[in-house]
Amino acid sequence: MKGTNLGEFEELVLLTIAALVQDAYSVAICDELEKHTGRVSKLGVVHAVLNRLEEKGLVKSRLGEATSARGGKRKRYYEVTQAGKIGLMRSKEVRDGLWRIIPGFNIEPA
């Protein structure tokens, strides 16, 4: 497995795949990212990130069934691997730890 450090966009894509569960394919990932971040994600950029995440062993992909709506083409679906889950948890722990040490930002809920 290649390096497992996650860039910001890689982390967002990985979180989106996890949230979409069984329906995580490139167009759905782009739509969900835009919905939650307000940023339009280009399909080519998302494809590049998906390839990189797969090379790192953080996601795995499979081809779905061919459909007439897609002219007989098959969608490629993505799933977070155990290594991907661990990577996401590590990222969250690092971020949470840093948030806790920022003076004045540690606001307790009422």
Side-chain angles (χ1 to χ4, degrees):
M1 172 172 38
K2 278 182 141 183
T4 55
N5 289 335
L6 292 173
E8 178 191 7
F9 195 63
E10 288 178 326
E11 184 177 359
L12 289 173
V13 170
L14 200 53
L15 287 166
T16 302
I17 293 167
L20 288 171
V21 190
Q22 298 295 317
D23 202 31
Y25 62 96
S26 57
V27 173
I29 292 166
C30 287
D31 292 346
E32 198 71 10
L33 282 167
E34 182 176 358
K35 177 179 161 185
H36 289 279
T37 67
R39 299 184 338 200
V40 176
S41 302
K42 294 188 180 195
L43 196 54
V45 173
V46 170
H47 276 283
V49 169
L50 290 168
N51 290 334
R52 196 163 52 245
L53 290 171
E54 197 160 22
E55 287 173 8
K56 289 180 176 184
L58 303 176
V59 299
K60 61 183 178 181
S61 67
R62 63 172 173 78
L63 288 173
E65 296 298 318
T67 62
S68 58
R70 294 178 43 87
K73 291 181 75 179
R74 299 161 61 174
K75 290 180 185 174
R76 180 168 295 279
Y77 291 92
Y78 294 86
E79 177 183 340
V80 178
T81 64
Q82 186 62 30
K85 291 174 186 177
I86 291 168
L88 282 173
M89 292 306 296
R90 281 190 190 136
S91 289
K92 183 182 183 321
E93 288 168 3
V94 167
R95 289 177 187 264
D96 289 349
L98 288 168
W99 276 105
R100 281 192 296 273
I101 65 169
I102 298 173
F105 275 59
N106 193 4
I107 300 169
E108 295 296 323

